[in-house]
Amino acid sequence: MVNYEVEGMTCGHCKKTVETVFGEIGKEAIANIDDKLVTVKETLTDEELNKLRSRLSEDGYSLGNVK
């Protein structure tokens, strides 16, 4: 399991949105609001990270580095 920092999550709706965006690229993810993390099964590629960062920024979130 790999954790990535996510800024901007404040509620259950945020959690669901982040998890849905990861699902759009075929990645199952579990977001944790309290720790400001999203967990996936494997390290994401640079291409996947770029897609996710771009897509999440549209909704007001920022995807950080491995934590």
Side-chain angles (χ1 to χ4, degrees):
M1 302 301 254
V2 182
N3 296 315
Y4 290 89
E5 298 172 316
V6 178
E7 291 295 325
M9 290 189 300
T10 59
C11 66
H13 180 265
C14 297
K15 172 183 166 53
K16 182 69 175 162
T17 299
V18 169
E19 292 171 348
T20 299
V21 169
F22 272 76
E24 289 173 0
I25 67 157
K27 298 293 178 184
E28 184 178 336
I30 300 170
N32 183 309
I33 300 164
D34 295 329
D35 295 333
K36 296 184 181 359
L37 296 175
V38 64
T39 303
V40 291
K41 291 182 181 177
E42 68 274 337
T43 303
L44 300 170
T45 66
D46 287 340
E47 182 181 344
E48 290 168 334
L49 281 169
N50 289 336
K51 283 182 185 176
L52 288 166
R53 285 182 175 136
S54 175
R55 178 63 181 85
L56 287 168
S57 71
E58 293 174 12
D59 291 321
Y61 308 105
S62 63
L63 180 61
N65 297 317
V66 173
K67 176 101 174 155

